[in-house]
Amino acid sequence: MSEPVVRHGTPPGDVPEVPVAIVGAGACGLTAALLLKDAGIDAVLLERDAEPSGSTALSSGFVPAPGTQVQRARGVEDSVEQFAADIRAKTKGTAAPHLVQAYAHAIGPAIDALGTRHGIAWELMDGFLYPGHSALRMHAVPERTGAGLMQRLQSAAQAAGVDLLTQAIVRELWVDDAKRITGIGYERPDGHIEHLRRSEE
């Protein structure tokens, strides 16, 4: 698939304004939209396919996270620092340090928020340690599948009133002189390009 075209200025005409547009309604996009909603920020999800799926739907759907409520309930001791050290060791120091820290700090609270605020039922995978992990930290929904996780996230997003546009392929990124995104253009099934503009802060 070709990269979006970068255009300068703002999208033309009287187009809808949104605070945040998220490209891709996979597990990451849905989670981001739900947590933004919790913070009082509306987001629009743009999904190229007729039904959101992404690589998560094809995976096991297991999510590693440290310091979660599920771990504590099972008596598992874990920490952000321990998880980050495991990532560095497993990747032999090749993982970008700022990304390691960002993920290690954010994923536990995200798992907890999805559980307490949006009813995602997490279970801790036990029986053996996954390679590279020094604690039991693989979380899964009861279905133990990525498809099951996606279905639960979609149901949570629908219940929270998250806006989702399917069959919307992002073709344009509009930027200002400071290279900040001012809007996007997305292609509909009939080939027509529609636009969204970033709302003013």
Side-chain angles (χ1 to χ4, degrees):
M1 182 176 293
S2 61
E3 295 291 326
V5 174
V6 176
R7 302 192 186 282
H8 295 276
T10 56
D14 184 17
V15 301
E17 295 186 351
V18 295
V20 178
I22 299 172
V23 181
C28 288
L30 287 164
T31 298
L34 284 167
L35 297 188
L36 283 168
K37 195 78 170 178
D38 291 344
I41 301 170
D42 290 326
V44 173
L45 281 161
L46 299 166
E47 170 59 43
R48 68 178 181 184
D49 297 326
E51 290 290 335
S53 60
S55 58
T56 299
L58 303 176
S59 73
S60 63
F62 302 162
V63 184
T68 66
Q69 295 171 355
V70 175
Q71 283 180 311
R72 291 192 292 273
R74 294 284 301 276
V76 174
E77 293 186 7
D78 198 5
S79 69
V80 168
E81 293 75 18
Q82 184 177 341
F83 185 28
D86 286 350
I87 295 174
R88 289 193 295 270
K90 188 174 179 65
T91 60
K92 297 180 172 57
T94 60
H98 67 288
L99 295 180
V100 172
Q101 287 301 313
Y103 180 78
H105 278 88
I107 188 61
I111 289 288
D112 288 346
L114 289 172
T116 58
R117 300 177 199 162
H118 300 287
I120 304 296
W122 296 108
E123 298 177 351
L124 193 64
M125 304 291 291
D126 57 12
F128 71 100
L129 285 177
Y130 279 76
H133 293 278
S134 60
L136 294 174
R137 61 168 70 104
M138 282 295 187
H139 297 70
V141 295
E143 295 83 2
R144 304 291 174 94
T145 65
L149 174 57
M150 283 296 298
Q151 184 56 56
R152 287 174 180 266
L153 287 171
Q154 288 177 54
S155 296
Q158 184 176 18
V162 172
D163 291 323
L164 170 63
L165 289 175
T166 59
Q167 295 181 295
I169 304 174
V170 174
R171 298 295 193 194
E172 301 173 349
L173 293 178
W174 289 76
V175 299
D176 61 17
D177 292 338
K179 297 186 178 180
R180 297 173 302 184
I181 301 294
T182 61
I184 57 173
Y186 55 95
E187 182 181 349
R188 301 300 280 162
D190 62 1
H192 179 67
I193 299 292
E194 298 181 2
H195 295 94
L196 292 173
R197 183 180 293 132
R198 186 192 69 202
S199 59
E200 294 299 325
E201 298 177 358

